[in-house]
Amino acid sequence: MDFTKRQITKIAREANKLTIQMMKEEGIGSGEFDLIHLVRHNPGISQKDAGQRLNMDKGAVARRVISLEQKGYMVRKENPADARSRLLFATPKADSLKNSKAAVESAFYTWLLEELSDEERDSFCAILEKLYYRSKLESRSGFLHLYERLNHEEEYPDEES
């Protein structure tokens, strides 16, 4: 049984809505932001690999890259190993966009916690940190325990279902 009612996910969605609204004001769509994020974390990725990682067709990637180049968020450079392909790099403007996204999220979460007492906030944040580290450990294990649990539930459905 999910005691959280998926409220962590729902709160994150609300923060994301605000972030998307703010990014739109800077002329960046959510799909473009996904590409910027991927390139920032994988400098020198090829357009082909970016498309595969984002599950986008070649033409859609090319259009987004051109748009982001025109806006000053990305540059393409010739691939020294293959003159036919281009490698993607984020610009300093893209790095500042990441910082502004973090600032928007931070402002949202600061606002959200304002109505809690200091004690409530500190307790909540301590529990949240514990949950975050547990989730990171599980992610690093390849979600081993969760795959096992989910596969087990498929074999033996919950009687409440």
Side-chain angles (χ1 to χ4, degrees):
M1 174 177 226
D2 179 11
F3 296 104
T4 71
K5 300 177 195 168
R6 298 180 46 251
Q7 289 174 328
I8 295 169
T9 300
K10 293 172 184 176
I11 291 169
R13 275 193 205 127
E14 298 305 321
N16 193 46
K17 285 180 191 176
L18 175 61
T19 302
I20 288 170
Q21 286 177 358
M22 299 300 286
M23 295 296 108
K24 281 183 181 177
E25 289 178 15
E26 294 198 39
I28 300 295
S30 60
E32 288 178 322
F33 188 81
D34 292 341
L35 181 57
I36 290 170
H37 182 76
L38 177 68
V39 172
R40 283 188 68 255
H41 290 279
N42 299 278
I45 190 170
S46 70
Q47 281 188 208
K48 180 181 177 182
D49 289 342
Q52 289 172 341
R53 299 264 303 269
L54 294 173
N55 198 26
M56 293 171 52
D57 66 59
K58 185 178 173 180
V61 173
R63 286 188 298 278
R64 282 203 181 131
V65 167
I66 289 168
S67 173
L68 290 169
E69 275 186 313
Q70 290 171 345
K71 295 173 185 176
Y73 292 104
M74 194 169 294
V75 294
R76 285 184 286 184
K77 297 181 180 175
E78 189 173 303
N79 184 345
D82 178 3
R84 296 172 297 155
S85 74
R86 300 284 178 255
L87 303 180
L88 305 176
F89 296 90
T91 65
K93 186 175 180 181
D95 290 334
S96 70
L97 183 65
K98 182 263 181 195
N99 293 335
S100 68
K101 181 182 186 294
V104 170
E105 290 171 342
S106 181
F108 178 85
Y109 290 120
T110 298
W111 169 84
L112 191 62
L113 297 177
E114 284 176 352
E115 292 187 0
L116 300 180
S117 69
D118 290 349
E119 184 179 323
E120 288 173 323
R121 184 199 60 230
D122 293 347
S123 294
F124 172 75
C125 289
I127 292 167
L128 189 61
E129 185 172 11
K130 188 175 184 178
L131 294 173
Y132 171 74
Y133 284 114
R134 179 173 163 86
S135 74
K136 287 303 284 185
L137 286 172
E138 184 66 7
S139 175
R140 289 181 183 141
S141 79
F143 298 102
L144 180 67
H145 301 100
L146 286 168
Y147 274 115
E148 184 178 302
R149 181 173 293 183
L150 291 167
N151 287 332
H152 177 75
E153 286 178 0
E154 288 176 7
E155 294 171 18
Y156 306 99
D158 188 356
E159 293 178 12
E160 295 177 14
S161 299

